[in-house]
Amino acid sequence: MQKIKFTLFNLRDLLVAFGPITLMVVIVCGVGYWLVDPAPPRVIDISSGQENGSYERFAKRYAQELQKNQITLRQQSSQGSEENLSRISDPDSDIEVGFVRSGSTDEAQAHERGLISLGSLFYEPIWVFYRSPKEFTTMSQFKGKIVNVGPDGNGVAKLFSQILSVNSMSEEDVTIQKLADTPGTVALLDNKVDVLIFSSASAGRSVYAALSVFISCRAAAWHCRYRQGHPSS
């Protein structure tokens, strides 16, 4: 009986002597692991793009995939690449991720802002829609035209300015409008703008909408010409 008491007494002394040290070591190791290799956040804020645009569509797809791992992706609409870059560069912003068009910033500027590229996702060709009885073959034919480049923040205005510069032109040679994609398409159909500039993935809804409208208009024009050339009896 005395031997049992002696063993319990020594175990108690052992716990009193080394218990706090052991607990401290476990806490320090846990904090160190969290700092070196922190667990991914369960909620992520992303700056996507305009309503019904390619960026918004891809953000929704990412949200569905991340939800499978119990990660919530919260979207915030934006005007596009330029505004997304501004948001993720702002240290006071809650936005952690955003879609940014290649060429919006160079590697040195990105490093200075603490930005990291997660990879390339898709091509974004520049789409040009215009109303004219003649086919445009050179940029000089845009002189004097009203050109819609989309709202500030989508980055298309910067791209278009670079295209003009390469072709020995400037923004003074055209009249710039900054309507969003959908109002811009409507304005083109209403003859309020002459040229519509998009930068979007080929599957973008704004591109589909513009293409479908132009195809319908062209079909109607051909139908009208056929009717006039071949009157029915």
Side-chain angles (χ1 to χ4, degrees):
M1 192 68 177
Q2 290 180 350
K3 185 176 181 179
I4 295 175
K5 289 182 179 180
F6 180 77
T7 303
L8 292 175
F9 177 77
N10 281 295
L11 181 60
R12 184 181 61 188
D13 286 350
L14 186 64
L15 291 174
V16 172
F18 295 101
I21 297 177
T22 303
L23 181 61
M24 185 178 297
V25 170
V26 171
I27 293 174
V28 170
C29 290
V31 172
Y33 176 79
W34 181 80
L35 291 175
V36 174
D37 187 19
R42 311 311 299 178
V43 178
I44 301 174
D45 292 292
I46 184 173
S47 185
S48 54
Q50 296 184 51
E51 185 179 357
N52 296 325
S54 297
Y55 289 173
E56 183 189 61
R57 184 167 53 84
F58 276 99
K60 289 180 178 179
R61 290 176 61 180
Y62 271 108
Q64 293 173 355
E65 292 299 320
L66 290 172
Q67 190 60 51
K68 296 177 182 178
N69 295 289
Q70 291 75 51
I71 298 176
T72 300
L73 184 67
R74 297 187 302 199
Q75 298 182 56
Q76 287 195 29
S77 299
S78 73
Q79 297 299 341
S81 175
E82 196 171 304
E83 186 173 2
N84 292 347
L85 180 61
S86 176
R87 285 178 175 178
I88 60 178
S89 301
D90 184 0
D92 297 325
S93 173
D94 294 330
I95 300 297
E96 302 163 283
V97 185
F99 296 112
V100 178
R101 186 178 298 112
S102 177
S104 299
T105 183
D106 58 36
E107 186 175 353
Q109 290 176 333
H111 181 74
E112 184 178 340
R113 297 179 180 184
L115 304 179
I116 299 175
S117 173
L118 300 178
S120 300
L121 299 177
F122 50 86
Y123 290 105
E124 277 193 293
I126 297 175
W127 300 82
V128 180
F129 297 92
Y130 63 89
R131 297 182 68 100
S132 174
K134 298 181 180 180
E135 181 179 355
F136 283 10
T137 57
T138 63
M139 287 298 298
S140 61
Q141 291 175 279
F142 286 139
K143 286 186 176 181
K145 302 295 184 182
I146 302 175
V147 182
N148 187 72
V149 296
D152 290 327
N154 72 348
V156 175
K158 181 180 179 181
L159 287 175
F160 185 63
S161 178
Q162 293 172 346
I163 294 173
L164 290 174
S165 178
V166 170
N167 288 272
S168 301
M169 295 174 62
S170 69
E171 292 185 5
E172 295 179 355
D173 295 317
V174 297
T175 300
I176 298 294
Q177 292 285 347
K178 296 186 177 181
L179 301 172
D181 292 348
T182 300
T185 303
V186 174
L188 183 66
L189 297 176
D190 291 340
N191 291 318
K192 294 180 180 178
V193 300
D194 303 308
V195 184
L196 189 63
I197 308 291
F198 285 142
S199 180
S200 173
S202 58
R205 292 186 180 180
S206 56
V207 175
Y208 275 142
L211 284 173
S212 62
V213 168
F214 271 80
I215 291 173
S216 298
C217 289
R218 189 167 186 177
W222 275 102
H223 177 70
C224 182
R225 290 177 60 185
Y226 178 81
R227 295 272 299 183
Q228 290 176 351
H230 299 80
S232 58
S233 56

